[in-house]
Coordinates of all heavy atoms in Angstrom, one line a residue:
M1178 N 40.1 -53.1 -81.1 CA 39.1 -52.0 -81.4 C 39.2 -51.0 -80.2 O 39.1 -51.4 -79.1 CB 37.7 -52.6 -81.5 CG 36.7 -51.5 -82.0 SD 35.0 -52.2 -82.3 CE 35.3 -53.0 -83.9
S1179 N 39.2 -49.8 -80.5 CA 39.3 -48.8 -79.5 C 37.8 -48.4 -78.9 O 36.8 -48.7 -79.5 CB 40.0 -47.4 -80.1 OG 38.9 -46.8 -80.8
F1180 N 37.8 -47.7 -77.8 CA 36.6 -47.4 -77.1 C 35.9 -46.4 -78.2 O 34.6 -46.6 -78.3 CB 36.8 -46.5 -75.8 CG 35.6 -45.9 -75.3 CD1 34.7 -46.7 -74.7 CD2 35.4 -44.6 -75.5 CE1 33.7 -46.0 -74.1 CE2 34.3 -44.0 -75.0 CZ 33.3 -44.7 -74.3
V1181 N 36.5 -45.5 -78.8 CA 35.8 -44.6 -79.7 C 35.1 -45.3 -80.9 O 34.0 -45.0 -81.3 CB 36.8 -43.6 -80.3 CG1 36.1 -42.6 -81.4 CG2 37.4 -42.6 -79.1
T1182 N 35.9 -46.2 -81.4 CA 35.3 -47.1 -82.5 C 34.0 -47.9 -82.0 O 33.0 -47.9 -82.7 CB 36.4 -48.1 -83.1 OG1 37.5 -47.4 -83.2 CG2 35.9 -48.9 -84.3
E1183 N 34.2 -48.5 -80.9 CA 33.1 -49.2 -80.2 C 31.9 -48.3 -80.0 O 30.7 -48.6 -80.3 CB 33.5 -49.8 -79.0 CG 34.4 -50.9 -79.0 CD 33.8 -52.4 -78.9 OE1 32.5 -52.3 -78.8 OE2 34.5 -53.3 -79.1
F1184 N 32.2 -47.1 -79.5 CA 31.2 -46.1 -79.2 C 30.5 -45.6 -80.5 O 29.2 -45.6 -80.5 CB 31.8 -44.9 -78.4 CG 30.7 -43.9 -78.0 CD1 30.0 -44.1 -76.7 CD2 30.5 -42.7 -78.7 CE1 29.0 -43.3 -76.3 CE2 29.5 -41.8 -78.2 CZ 28.7 -42.1 -77.0
K1185 N 31.3 -45.3 -81.5 CA 30.6 -44.9 -82.7 C 29.8 -45.9 -83.4 O 28.9 -45.6 -84.3 CB 31.7 -44.3 -83.6 CG 32.3 -43.0 -83.3 CD 33.3 -42.5 -84.2 CE 33.8 -41.2 -83.8 NZ 35.0 -40.7 -84.6
A1186 N 30.0 -47.2 -83.0 CA 29.3 -48.3 -83.7 C 27.9 -48.5 -83.1 O 27.1 -49.2 -83.5 CB 30.1 -49.5 -83.6
L1187 N 27.7 -47.9 -81.9 CA 26.5 -48.0 -81.2 C 25.3 -47.3 -82.0 O 25.4 -46.2 -82.6 CB 26.5 -47.3 -79.8 CG 27.5 -47.9 -78.7 CD1 27.5 -47.1 -77.5 CD2 27.1 -49.3 -78.4
P1188 N 24.1 -48.0 -81.9 CA 22.9 -47.4 -82.7 C 22.4 -46.3 -81.7 O 21.1 -46.5 -81.2 CB 22.1 -48.6 -82.8 CG 22.3 -49.6 -81.6 CD 23.8 -49.4 -81.4
L1189 N 23.0 -45.3 -81.6 CA 22.6 -44.3 -80.5 C 21.1 -43.6 -80.9 O 20.4 -43.5 -80.0 CB 23.7 -43.1 -80.4 CG 25.0 -43.7 -79.8 CD1 26.0 -42.5 -79.8 CD2 24.7 -44.2 -78.4
A1190 N 21.0 -43.3 -82.2 CA 19.8 -42.7 -82.5 C 18.5 -43.6 -82.2 O 17.5 -43.2 -81.7 CB 19.7 -42.3 -84.0
A1191 N 18.7 -44.9 -82.5 CA 17.8 -45.9 -82.2 C 17.5 -46.1 -80.8 O 16.3 -46.2 -80.3 CB 18.0 -47.3 -82.8
L1192 N 18.6 -45.9 -79.9 CA 18.4 -46.1 -78.5 C 17.7 -44.8 -77.9 O 16.9 -45.0 -77.0 CB 19.8 -46.3 -77.9 CG 20.5 -47.6 -78.1 CD1 22.0 -47.7 -77.7 CD2 19.7 -48.8 -77.4
V1193 N 18.1 -43.7 -78.5 CA 17.3 -42.5 -77.9 C 15.9 -42.6 -78.2 O 15.1 -42.2 -77.4 CB 17.9 -41.2 -78.6 CG1 17.1 -40.0 -78.3 CG2 19.4 -41.0 -78.0
Q1194 N 15.6 -43.0 -79.5 CA 14.2 -43.1 -79.9 C 13.5 -44.1 -78.9 O 12.3 -44.0 -78.6 CB 14.1 -43.7 -81.4 CG 12.7 -43.7 -81.9 CD 11.9 -42.4 -81.8 OE1 12.6 -41.3 -81.8 NE2 10.6 -42.5 -81.9
R1195 N 14.1 -45.3 -78.6 CA 13.5 -46.3 -77.9 C 13.3 -45.7 -76.4 O 12.2 -46.0 -75.8 CB 14.5 -47.5 -77.8 CG 13.9 -48.6 -77.0 CD 14.8 -49.8 -76.9 NE 14.8 -50.5 -78.1 CZ 14.2 -51.7 -78.2 NH1 13.4 -52.1 -77.2 NH2 14.2 -52.4 -79.3
A1196 N 14.3 -45.0 -75.9 CA 14.1 -44.3 -74.7 C 12.9 -43.4 -74.6 O 12.1 -43.3 -73.6 CB 15.4 -43.6 -74.1
R1197 N 12.7 -42.6 -75.6 CA 11.7 -41.6 -75.8 C 10.3 -42.3 -75.8 O 9.3 -41.7 -75.3 CB 11.8 -40.8 -77.0 CG 12.9 -39.7 -76.8 CD 12.9 -38.6 -77.9 NE 13.9 -37.7 -77.7 CZ 14.7 -37.2 -78.6 NH1 14.7 -37.7 -79.9 NH2 15.6 -36.4 -78.2
T1198 N 10.2 -43.5 -76.4 CA 9.0 -44.1 -76.6 C 8.7 -45.3 -75.7 O 7.7 -45.9 -75.8 CB 8.8 -44.5 -78.1 OG1 9.9 -45.4 -78.4 CG2 8.9 -43.3 -79.0
A1199 N 9.5 -45.6 -74.8 CA 9.3 -46.9 -74.0 C 8.1 -46.6 -73.1 O 7.8 -45.6 -72.6 CB 10.6 -47.0 -73.1
S1200 N 7.4 -47.8 -72.9 CA 6.2 -47.8 -72.1 C 6.7 -48.1 -70.7 O 7.8 -48.6 -70.4 CB 5.3 -49.0 -72.5 OG 6.0 -50.1 -72.4
T1201 N 5.8 -47.9 -69.7 CA 6.0 -48.2 -68.3 C 6.3 -49.6 -68.1 O 7.1 -50.1 -67.4 CB 4.9 -47.7 -67.4 OG1 4.8 -46.3 -67.7 CG2 5.3 -48.0 -66.0
Q1202 N 5.4 -50.5 -69.0 CA 5.5 -51.9 -68.9 C 7.0 -52.4 -69.3 O 7.6 -53.3 -68.7 CB 4.5 -52.5 -69.8 CG 4.3 -53.9 -69.7 CD 3.2 -54.5 -70.4 OE1 2.7 -53.7 -71.3 NE2 2.8 -55.7 -70.2
A1203 N 7.5 -51.8 -70.4 CA 8.8 -52.1 -70.9 C 9.9 -51.8 -69.9 O 10.8 -52.6 -69.6 CB 9.1 -51.4 -72.2
A1204 N 9.7 -50.6 -69.2 CA 10.7 -50.3 -68.2 C 10.6 -51.2 -67.0 O 11.7 -51.6 -66.5 CB 10.4 -48.8 -67.7
R1205 N 9.4 -51.6 -66.6 CA 9.4 -52.5 -65.4 C 10.0 -53.9 -65.8 O 10.6 -54.5 -65.0 CB 8.0 -52.7 -65.1 CG 7.3 -51.6 -64.3 CD 5.9 -51.9 -63.8 NE 5.4 -50.8 -63.2 CZ 5.5 -50.2 -62.1 NH1 6.5 -50.7 -61.3 NH2 5.0 -49.1 -61.7
A1206 N 9.7 -54.4 -67.1 CA 10.3 -55.6 -67.4 C 11.8 -55.5 -67.5 O 12.5 -56.5 -67.1 CB 9.7 -55.9 -68.9
S1207 N 12.5 -54.4 -68.0 CA 13.8 -54.2 -67.9 C 14.4 -54.2 -66.6 O 15.6 -54.6 -66.4 CB 14.3 -52.9 -68.8 OG 13.9 -53.2 -70.1
L1208 N 13.7 -53.7 -65.6 CA 14.2 -53.7 -64.3 C 14.4 -55.0 -63.7 O 15.2 -55.3 -62.8 CB 13.2 -52.8 -63.4 CG 13.7 -52.5 -62.0 CD1 14.9 -51.7 -61.9 CD2 12.6 -51.6 -61.3
E1209 N 13.4 -55.9 -64.2 CA 13.4 -57.2 -63.5 C 14.4 -58.3 -64.3 O 14.7 -59.3 -63.6 CB 12.0 -57.9 -63.7 CG 11.0 -57.0 -62.9 CD 11.4 -56.8 -61.5 OE1 11.8 -57.9 -60.9 OE2 11.2 -55.9 -60.9
I1210 N 14.9 -57.9 -65.4 CA 15.8 -58.8 -66.2 C 17.1 -58.9 -65.5 O 17.6 -58.0 -64.9 CB 15.8 -58.3 -67.7 CG1 16.0 -59.4 -68.6 CG2 16.8 -57.3 -67.8 CD1 15.6 -59.0 -70.1
T1211 N 17.7 -60.1 -65.7 CA 19.0 -60.3 -65.1 C 20.1 -59.6 -65.8 O 21.0 -59.0 -65.2 CB 19.2 -61.8 -64.9 OG1 18.1 -62.4 -64.3 CG2 20.5 -62.1 -64.2
S1212 N 20.2 -59.8 -67.1 CA 21.3 -59.3 -68.0 C 20.9 -58.3 -68.8 O 20.1 -58.4 -69.8 CB 21.9 -60.4 -68.9 OG 23.0 -59.9 -69.6
V1213 N 21.1 -57.0 -68.4 CA 20.6 -55.8 -68.9 C 21.3 -55.5 -70.3 O 22.4 -55.4 -70.4 CB 20.7 -54.6 -68.0 CG1 20.1 -53.3 -68.7 CG2 19.9 -54.9 -66.8
S1214 N 20.5 -55.3 -71.4 CA 21.0 -55.0 -72.6 C 21.0 -53.4 -72.8 O 20.4 -52.8 -72.0 CB 20.1 -55.6 -73.8 OG 18.9 -55.0 -73.8
L1215 N 21.5 -53.0 -73.9 CA 21.4 -51.5 -74.2 C 20.0 -51.1 -74.4 O 19.6 -50.0 -73.9 CB 22.2 -51.1 -75.5 CG 23.7 -51.1 -75.3 CD1 24.4 -50.9 -76.7 CD2 24.1 -50.0 -74.3
E1216 N 19.1 -52.0 -75.0 CA 17.8 -51.6 -75.1 C 17.1 -51.5 -73.7 O 16.2 -50.7 -73.5 CB 17.0 -52.6 -75.9 CG 17.4 -52.6 -77.5 CD 18.8 -53.2 -77.8 OE1 19.4 -53.9 -77.0 OE2 19.4 -52.9 -78.8
D1217 N 17.4 -52.4 -72.8 CA 16.9 -52.3 -71.4 C 17.3 -51.0 -70.8 O 16.5 -50.4 -70.1 CB 17.3 -53.5 -70.6 CG 16.7 -54.8 -71.1 OD1 15.4 -54.8 -71.3 OD2 17.5 -55.8 -71.3
F1218 N 18.6 -50.7 -71.0 CA 19.2 -49.5 -70.4 C 18.4 -48.2 -70.9 O 18.1 -47.4 -70.2 CB 20.5 -49.3 -70.8 CG 21.2 -48.0 -70.2 CD1 21.4 -47.8 -68.9 CD2 21.5 -47.0 -71.2 CE1 21.9 -46.6 -68.5 CE2 22.1 -45.9 -70.7 CZ 22.3 -45.7 -69.3
A1219 N 18.0 -48.2 -72.2 CA 17.2 -47.1 -72.8 C 15.8 -47.1 -72.2 O 15.3 -46.1 -71.8 CB 17.0 -47.3 -74.3
H1220 N 15.2 -48.3 -71.8 CA 13.9 -48.3 -71.2 C 14.1 -47.6 -69.8 O 13.2 -47.0 -69.3 CB 13.4 -49.7 -70.9 CG 13.1 -50.4 -72.2 ND1 13.0 -51.8 -72.4 CD2 12.9 -49.9 -73.5 CE1 12.8 -52.0 -73.7 NE2 12.7 -50.9 -74.4
L1221 N 15.2 -48.0 -69.1 CA 15.3 -47.8 -67.5 C 15.6 -46.2 -67.5 O 15.2 -45.6 -66.4 CB 16.5 -48.5 -67.0 CG 16.2 -49.9 -66.8 CD1 17.4 -50.7 -66.5 CD2 15.1 -50.2 -65.9
I1222 N 16.2 -45.6 -68.5 CA 16.3 -44.1 -68.4 C 15.3 -43.3 -69.0 O 15.4 -42.1 -69.3 CB 17.8 -43.6 -68.9 CG1 18.0 -43.9 -70.5 CG2 18.9 -44.4 -68.1 CD1 19.2 -43.4 -71.1
S1223 N 14.3 -44.0 -69.5 CA 13.2 -43.3 -70.3 C 12.3 -42.5 -69.3 O 12.3 -42.9 -68.1 CB 12.4 -44.4 -71.1 OG 11.5 -45.1 -70.1
P1224 N 11.6 -41.6 -69.7 CA 10.5 -40.9 -69.0 C 9.6 -41.9 -68.4 O 9.1 -41.6 -67.2 CB 9.8 -40.0 -70.0 CG 10.8 -39.7 -71.1 CD 11.6 -41.0 -71.1
A1225 N 9.3 -43.0 -69.1 CA 8.3 -44.0 -68.5 C 9.0 -44.7 -67.3 O 8.2 -45.3 -66.5 CB 7.9 -45.0 -69.5
G1226 N 10.2 -44.7 -67.1 CA 11.0 -45.2 -66.1 C 11.0 -44.3 -64.8 O 11.6 -44.8 -63.8
A1227 N 10.5 -43.1 -65.0 CA 10.7 -42.2 -63.9 C 10.3 -42.7 -62.5 O 10.9 -42.5 -61.5 CB 10.2 -40.8 -64.2
D1228 N 9.2 -43.3 -62.5 CA 8.5 -43.9 -61.3 C 9.4 -45.1 -60.7 O 9.1 -45.4 -59.6 CB 7.1 -44.3 -61.5 CG 6.2 -43.0 -61.8 OD1 6.7 -42.0 -61.4 OD2 5.2 -43.3 -62.4
L1229 N 10.2 -45.6 -61.4 CA 11.0 -46.7 -61.0 C 12.4 -46.3 -60.4 O 13.2 -47.3 -60.1 CB 11.2 -47.7 -62.1 CG 10.0 -48.1 -62.8 CD1 10.3 -48.9 -64.0 CD2 9.0 -49.0 -61.9
L1230 N 12.7 -45.0 -60.3 CA 14.0 -44.6 -59.7 C 14.4 -45.2 -58.5 O 15.6 -45.7 -58.2 CB 14.0 -43.1 -59.7 CG 14.4 -42.4 -61.0 CD1 14.4 -40.9 -60.8 CD2 15.5 -42.9 -61.7
E1231 N 13.5 -45.3 -57.5 CA 13.8 -45.9 -56.2 C 14.2 -47.3 -56.4 O 15.2 -47.8 -55.9 CB 12.7 -45.8 -55.3 CG 13.0 -46.2 -53.7 CD 13.8 -45.2 -53.0 OE1 14.0 -44.0 -53.5 OE2 14.5 -45.7 -52.2
S1232 N 13.4 -48.1 -57.1 CA 13.8 -49.6 -57.4 C 15.0 -49.8 -58.1 O 15.8 -50.6 -57.8 CB 12.6 -50.2 -58.2 OG 11.4 -50.1 -57.5
L1233 N 15.2 -48.9 -59.0 CA 16.6 -48.9 -59.9 C 17.7 -48.6 -59.0 O 18.7 -49.2 -59.1 CB 16.4 -47.9 -61.0 CG 17.5 -47.9 -62.0 CD1 17.7 -49.1 -62.7 CD2 17.2 -46.8 -63.1
A1234 N 17.6 -47.6 -58.0 CA 18.7 -47.4 -57.1 C 18.9 -48.5 -56.2 O 20.1 -48.9 -55.9 CB 18.3 -46.1 -56.3
W1235 N 17.9 -49.2 -55.8 CA 18.1 -50.4 -54.9 C 18.8 -51.5 -55.7 O 19.8 -52.2 -55.2 CB 16.8 -50.9 -54.4 CG 16.3 -50.1 -53.2 CD1 15.3 -49.3 -53.1 CD2 17.0 -50.1 -51.8 NE1 15.3 -48.7 -51.9 CE2 16.2 -49.2 -51.1 CE3 18.1 -50.7 -51.3 CZ2 16.5 -48.8 -49.7 CZ3 18.4 -50.4 -49.9 CH2 17.7 -49.6 -49.2
R1236 N 18.4 -51.7 -56.9 CA 19.0 -52.8 -57.8 C 20.5 -52.4 -58.0 O 21.4 -53.3 -57.9 CB 18.4 -52.9 -59.1 CG 19.0 -53.9 -59.8 CD 18.3 -54.3 -61.1 NE 19.1 -55.3 -61.9 CZ 18.9 -55.8 -63.0 NH1 17.7 -55.5 -63.6 NH2 19.7 -56.6 -63.5
S1237 N 20.7 -51.1 -58.3 CA 22.1 -50.7 -58.5 C 23.0 -50.9 -57.3 O 24.1 -51.4 -57.3 CB 22.1 -49.3 -58.8 OG 23.4 -48.8 -59.0
Q1238 N 22.4 -50.5 -56.1 CA 23.2 -50.8 -54.8 C 23.5 -52.3 -54.7 O 24.7 -52.7 -54.2 CB 22.3 -50.2 -53.7 CG 23.2 -50.4 -52.4 CD 22.3 -49.9 -51.2 OE1 21.2 -50.4 -51.0 NE2 23.0 -49.3 -50.2
R1239 N 22.5 -53.1 -54.9 CA 22.7 -54.5 -54.7 C 23.9 -55.1 -55.6 O 24.7 -55.8 -55.2 CB 21.5 -55.3 -55.0 CG 20.5 -55.5 -53.9 CD 19.4 -56.5 -54.0 NE 18.8 -56.6 -55.4 CZ 17.8 -55.8 -55.7 NH1 17.2 -55.1 -54.9 NH2 17.3 -55.9 -56.9
M1240 N 23.8 -54.7 -56.9 CA 24.9 -55.1 -57.8 C 26.1 -54.5 -57.6 O 27.1 -55.3 -57.7 CB 24.5 -54.6 -59.2 CG 23.3 -55.3 -59.8 SD 22.8 -54.7 -61.4 CE 24.1 -55.3 -62.4
T1241 N 26.2 -53.3 -57.1 CA 27.6 -52.7 -56.7 C 28.1 -53.5 -55.5 O 29.4 -53.9 -55.4 CB 27.4 -51.3 -56.2 OG1 26.9 -50.6 -57.5 CG2 28.7 -50.7 -55.8
Q1242 N 27.3 -53.8 -54.5 CA 27.9 -54.6 -53.3 C 28.2 -56.0 -53.7 O 29.1 -56.6 -53.1 CB 26.7 -54.5 -52.2 CG 26.8 -53.2 -51.6 CD 25.9 -53.1 -50.4 OE1 25.2 -54.1 -50.0 NE2 25.7 -51.9 -49.8
Q1243 N 27.5 -56.6 -54.7 CA 27.7 -58.0 -55.1 C 29.2 -58.0 -55.7 O 29.9 -58.9 -55.5 CB 26.7 -58.4 -56.2 CG 25.9 -59.6 -55.9 CD 24.8 -59.7 -57.0 OE1 25.0 -59.2 -58.0 NE2 23.9 -60.6 -56.5
R1244 N 29.4 -57.1 -56.5 CA 30.7 -57.0 -57.2 C 31.9 -56.4 -56.4 O 33.0 -57.0 -56.6 CB 30.6 -56.2 -58.6 CG 29.7 -56.8 -59.5 CD 29.5 -56.1 -60.8 NE 28.4 -56.8 -61.5 CZ 28.3 -56.6 -62.8 NH1 29.2 -56.0 -63.5 NH2 27.3 -57.2 -63.4
F1245 N 31.7 -55.5 -55.7 CA 32.8 -54.8 -54.9 C 32.8 -55.0 -53.4 O 33.7 -54.6 -52.7 CB 32.8 -53.3 -55.3 CG 32.9 -53.1 -56.8 CD1 31.8 -52.6 -57.5 CD2 34.0 -53.4 -57.5 CE1 31.9 -52.4 -58.9 CE2 34.1 -53.1 -58.9 CZ 33.1 -52.6 -59.5
G1246 N 31.6 -55.4 -52.9 CA 31.5 -55.4 -51.4 C 31.2 -54.1 -51.0 O 30.9 -53.2 -51.7
K1247 N 31.2 -53.9 -49.6 CA 30.9 -52.6 -49.0 C 32.3 -52.0 -48.8 O 32.9 -51.9 -47.7 CB 30.3 -52.8 -47.6 CG 28.8 -53.3 -47.7 CD 28.1 -53.2 -46.3 CE 26.6 -53.3 -46.7 NZ 25.9 -53.1 -45.5
V1248 N 32.8 -51.3 -49.8 CA 33.9 -50.6 -49.8 C 33.8 -49.2 -50.4 O 32.9 -48.9 -51.0 CB 35.1 -51.4 -50.6 CG1 35.4 -52.8 -50.1 CG2 34.7 -51.4 -52.1
M1249 N 34.9 -48.4 -50.1 CA 34.9 -47.1 -50.7 C 36.3 -47.0 -51.2 O 37.3 -47.2 -50.7 CB 34.7 -46.0 -49.6 CG 34.8 -44.6 -50.2 SD 34.7 -43.4 -48.9 CE 33.0 -43.6 -48.4
R1250 N 36.3 -46.7 -52.6 CA 37.6 -46.6 -53.3 C 37.9 -45.1 -53.6 O 37.0 -44.4 -54.1 CB 37.6 -47.4 -54.5 CG 37.5 -48.9 -54.1 CD 37.3 -49.7 -55.4 NE 36.9 -51.0 -55.2 CZ 37.5 -52.1 -55.6 NH1 38.3 -52.0 -56.6 NH2 37.1 -53.3 -55.2
L1251 N 39.2 -44.8 -53.4 CA 39.5 -43.5 -53.9 C 40.7 -43.6 -54.9 O 41.5 -44.4 -54.7 CB 40.2 -42.7 -52.7 CG 39.2 -42.4 -51.5 CD1 39.9 -41.8 -50.4 CD2 38.1 -41.5 -51.9
F1252 N 40.6 -42.7 -56.0 CA 41.6 -42.8 -57.0 C 42.2 -41.5 -57.0 O 41.6 -40.5 -57.1 CB 41.0 -43.1 -58.3 CG 40.4 -44.5 -58.5 CD1 39.0 -44.6 -58.1 CD2 41.0 -45.5 -58.7 CE1 38.5 -46.0 -58.2 CE2 40.5 -46.8 -58.8 CZ 39.3 -47.0 -58.6
A1253 N 43.6 -41.6 -57.0 CA 44.3 -40.3 -57.0 C 45.3 -40.3 -58.3 O 46.3 -41.1 -58.2 CB 45.1 -40.0 -55.7
P1254 N 44.9 -39.6 -59.2 CA 45.8 -39.7 -60.4 C 47.2 -38.9 -60.0 O 47.3 -38.1 -59.2 CB 45.2 -38.8 -61.4 CG 44.2 -38.1 -60.8 CD 43.8 -38.7 -59.5
L1255 N 48.2 -39.6 -60.5 CA 49.7 -39.1 -60.3 C 50.1 -38.5 -61.6 O 50.4 -39.2 -62.5 CB 50.5 -40.2 -59.9 CG 51.9 -39.8 -59.6 CD1 52.0 -38.7 -58.6 CD2 52.8 -41.0 -59.3
Y1256 N 50.2 -37.1 -61.7 CA 50.7 -36.4 -62.9 C 52.2 -36.2 -62.8 O 52.7 -35.6 -61.8 CB 49.9 -35.2 -63.1 CG 48.4 -35.5 -63.3 CD1 47.5 -35.2 -62.4 CD2 48.1 -35.9 -64.6 CE1 46.1 -35.4 -62.8 CE2 46.7 -36.1 -65.0 CZ 45.8 -35.8 -64.0 OH 44.5 -36.1 -64.4
L1257 N 53.0 -36.7 -63.8 CA 54.4 -36.4 -63.8 C 54.7 -35.2 -64.8 O 55.8 -34.5 -64.8 CB 55.1 -37.6 -64.2 CG 54.9 -38.8 -63.4 CD1 55.7 -40.0 -63.9 CD2 55.5 -38.5 -61.9
S1258 N 53.7 -34.9 -65.5 CA 53.8 -33.8 -66.6 C 52.4 -33.3 -66.8 O 51.4 -34.0 -66.4 CB 54.5 -34.1 -67.8 OG 53.7 -34.8 -68.8
N1259 N 52.2 -32.3 -67.7 CA 50.9 -31.9 -68.0 C 50.7 -32.2 -69.5 O 49.7 -31.7 -70.2 CB 50.7 -30.4 -67.8 CG 51.6 -29.5 -68.7 OD1 52.4 -30.0 -69.4 ND2 51.4 -28.3 -68.6
E1260 N 51.3 -33.2 -70.1 CA 51.1 -33.6 -71.4 C 50.2 -34.9 -71.4 O 50.4 -35.8 -70.6 CB 52.4 -34.1 -72.1 CG 53.3 -32.8 -72.4 CD 54.4 -33.2 -73.3 OE1 54.2 -33.9 -74.3 OE2 55.7 -32.8 -73.0
C1261 N 49.2 -34.8 -72.2 CA 48.4 -36.0 -72.3 C 47.9 -36.2 -73.7 O 47.7 -35.2 -74.5 CB 47.1 -35.7 -71.5 SG 46.0 -37.2 -71.4
I1262 N 47.7 -37.5 -74.2 CA 47.4 -37.7 -75.5 C 45.8 -37.7 -75.7 O 45.2 -37.8 -76.9 CB 47.9 -39.1 -76.1 CG1 47.5 -40.3 -75.2 CG2 49.4 -39.0 -76.0 CD1 47.6 -41.6 -75.8
N1263 N 45.1 -37.7 -74.6 CA 43.7 -37.7 -74.7 C 43.1 -36.4 -74.7 O 43.8 -35.4 -74.5 CB 43.2 -38.6 -73.5 CG 43.5 -40.0 -73.5 OD1 43.5 -40.6 -74.6 ND2 44.0 -40.6 -72.4
N1264 N 41.8 -36.3 -74.9 CA 41.2 -35.1 -75.1 C 39.8 -34.9 -74.4 O 38.8 -34.5 -75.0 CB 40.9 -34.8 -76.6 CG 41.1 -33.5 -77.1 OD1 41.5 -32.6 -76.4 ND2 40.7 -33.1 -78.3
C1265 N 39.9 -35.3 -73.1 CA 38.7 -35.2 -72.2 C 38.3 -33.8 -72.2 O 39.1 -32.9 -71.8 CB 38.9 -35.8 -70.9 SG 39.5 -37.5 -70.9
Q1266 N 37.0 -33.5 -72.6 CA 36.6 -32.1 -72.7 C 36.6 -31.4 -71.3 O 36.7 -30.1 -71.3 CB 35.1 -32.1 -73.2 CG 35.1 -32.5 -74.7 CD 33.8 -32.3 -75.4 OE1 32.8 -32.1 -74.6 NE2 33.7 -32.4 -76.7
Y1267 N 36.6 -32.0 -70.1 CA 36.5 -31.3 -68.9 C 37.8 -31.0 -68.4 O 37.9 -30.3 -67.3 CB 35.6 -32.2 -68.0 CG 36.1 -33.5 -67.7 CD1 37.2 -33.7 -66.9 CD2 35.7 -34.5 -68.4 CE1 37.8 -35.0 -66.6 CE2 36.3 -35.8 -68.4 CZ 37.3 -36.1 -67.4 OH 37.8 -37.3 -67.3
C1268 N 38.9 -31.5 -68.9 CA 40.2 -31.5 -68.3 C 41.0 -30.4 -69.0 O 41.2 -30.2 -70.1 CB 40.8 -32.8 -68.5 SG 42.5 -32.9 -67.7
G1269 N 41.7 -29.7 -68.0 CA 42.7 -28.7 -68.4 C 44.0 -29.1 -69.1 O 44.7 -28.5 -69.8
F1270 N 44.3 -30.5 -68.9 CA 45.4 -31.1 -69.5 C 45.1 -31.6 -70.9 O 46.0 -32.3 -71.5 CB 45.9 -32.1 -68.7 CG 46.6 -31.7 -67.3 CD1 46.4 -32.5 -66.2 CD2 47.1 -30.4 -67.2 CE1 46.9 -32.1 -65.0 CE2 47.6 -30.0 -66.0 CZ 47.6 -30.8 -64.8
S1271 N 43.9 -31.5 -71.3 CA 43.5 -32.3 -72.4 C 44.4 -31.8 -73.8 O 44.8 -30.7 -73.8 CB 42.0 -32.1 -72.9 OG 41.8 -30.7 -73.1
R1272 N 44.6 -32.7 -74.7 CA 45.5 -32.5 -75.8 C 45.3 -31.2 -76.6 O 46.3 -30.6 -76.9 CB 45.3 -33.7 -76.8 CG 46.3 -33.7 -78.0 CD 46.0 -34.8 -79.0 NE 44.5 -34.6 -79.4 CZ 43.7 -35.5 -79.7 NH1 43.9 -36.8 -79.2 NH2 42.5 -35.2 -80.1
D1273 N 44.1 -30.9 -76.8 CA 43.8 -29.7 -77.8 C 43.8 -28.5 -77.0 O 43.6 -27.4 -77.5 CB 42.6 -29.9 -78.5 CG 42.7 -31.0 -79.5 OD1 43.8 -31.3 -79.8 OD2 41.6 -31.3 -80.1
N1274 N 43.9 -28.5 -75.6 CA 43.9 -27.3 -74.8 C 45.3 -26.5 -74.9 O 46.4 -27.1 -74.7 CB 43.7 -27.6 -73.3 CG 43.4 -26.3 -72.5 OD1 43.1 -25.3 -73.0 ND2 43.5 -26.6 -71.2
P1275 N 45.2 -25.3 -75.5 CA 46.5 -24.7 -75.8 C 47.2 -24.1 -74.6 O 47.3 -22.8 -74.5 CB 46.1 -23.5 -76.8 CG 44.6 -23.1 -76.3 CD 44.1 -24.5 -75.9
I1276 N 47.8 -25.0 -73.8 CA 48.5 -24.5 -72.6 C 50.0 -24.8 -72.8 O 50.3 -25.7 -73.7 CB 48.0 -25.2 -71.3 CG1 48.3 -26.7 -71.4 CG2 46.5 -24.8 -71.0 CD1 48.0 -27.4 -70.1
L1277 N 50.8 -24.1 -72.0 CA 52.3 -24.4 -72.1 C 52.6 -25.8 -71.4 O 52.1 -26.0 -70.4 CB 53.1 -23.3 -71.3 CG 54.6 -23.4 -71.4 CD1 55.1 -23.1 -72.8 CD2 55.1 -22.3 -70.4
R1278 N 53.2 -26.6 -72.3 CA 53.5 -27.9 -71.8 C 55.0 -28.1 -71.5 O 55.8 -27.5 -72.1 CB 53.3 -29.0 -73.0 CG 51.9 -28.9 -73.6 CD 50.8 -29.6 -72.8 NE 49.6 -29.4 -73.5 CZ 48.5 -30.0 -73.0 NH1 48.5 -30.8 -72.0 NH2 47.3 -29.7 -73.6
Ligands
LIG2564 S1 42.8 -35.3 -70.8 FE1 42.8 -35.1 -68.6 S2 41.3 -36.4 -67.8 FE2 41.6 -37.0 -69.9 S3 43.2 -38.6 -69.8 FE3 44.2 -36.7 -70.1 S4 44.8 -36.0 -68.0 FE4 43.2 -37.5 -67.8

């Protein structure tokens, strides 16, 4: 299954609705939970979660350091041509961009 297929299968409208209507209590509960679901993510980015940004940032930092340690990674794409099969909207090389290949 491709990323696009997976993405299109997400219940996006329901998640947006959940984010719009989440309570502060739900956002706090999602911040404390160990394994965050999509519903928890919706709570965390909801307007009700605005006051939890500092705590959310600390949790994010802890998780990042747990998984990757204190490192800085740099990625440098190496382009051999300007042809690409993908269609990233921000990229000048994207498939549908009518440039000379
Ligand atoms: S469209 Fe651009 S950013 Fe997207 S994969 Fe291709 S080269 Fe990379």
Side-chain angles (χ1 to χ4, degrees):
M1178 185 178 288
S1179 75
F1180 171 79
V1181 173
T1182 309
E1183 292 262 355
F1184 186 77
K1185 285 181 177 173
L1187 292 174
L1189 293 178
L1192 289 169
V1193 168
Q1194 182 62 20
R1195 183 180 282 260
R1197 286 191 175 134
T1198 60
S1200 67
T1201 304
Q1202 189 177 13
R1205 285 189 190 284
S1207 293
L1208 185 62
E1209 299 304 321
I1210 209 159
T1211 305
S1212 182
V1213 178
S1214 68
L1215 281 174
E1216 289 75 18
D1217 293 312
F1218 178 70
H1220 295 162
L1221 293 171
I1222 63 169
S1223 72
D1228 292 340
L1229 304 174
L1230 277 180
E1231 186 71 24
S1232 302
L1233 187 58
W1235 280 110
R1236 179 172 176 184
S1237 174
Q1238 183 188 40
R1239 274 196 315 274
M1240 290 176 72
T1241 300
Q1242 287 185 3
Q1243 241 173 13
R1244 292 178 188 208
F1245 303 109
K1247 287 191 171 187
V1248 297
M1249 180 183 292
R1250 295 173 187 225
L1251 298 175
F1252 295 93
L1255 177 61
Y1256 292 104
L1257 300 176
S1258 80
N1259 64 0
E1260 290 192 50
C1261 185
I1262 61 169
N1263 294 317
N1264 216 9
C1265 304
Q1266 290 187 348
Y1267 57 84
C1268 181
F1270 297 148
S1271 61
R1272 183 188 62 226
D1273 291 347
N1274 193 13
I1276 60 171
L1277 184 63
R1278 310 278 177 174

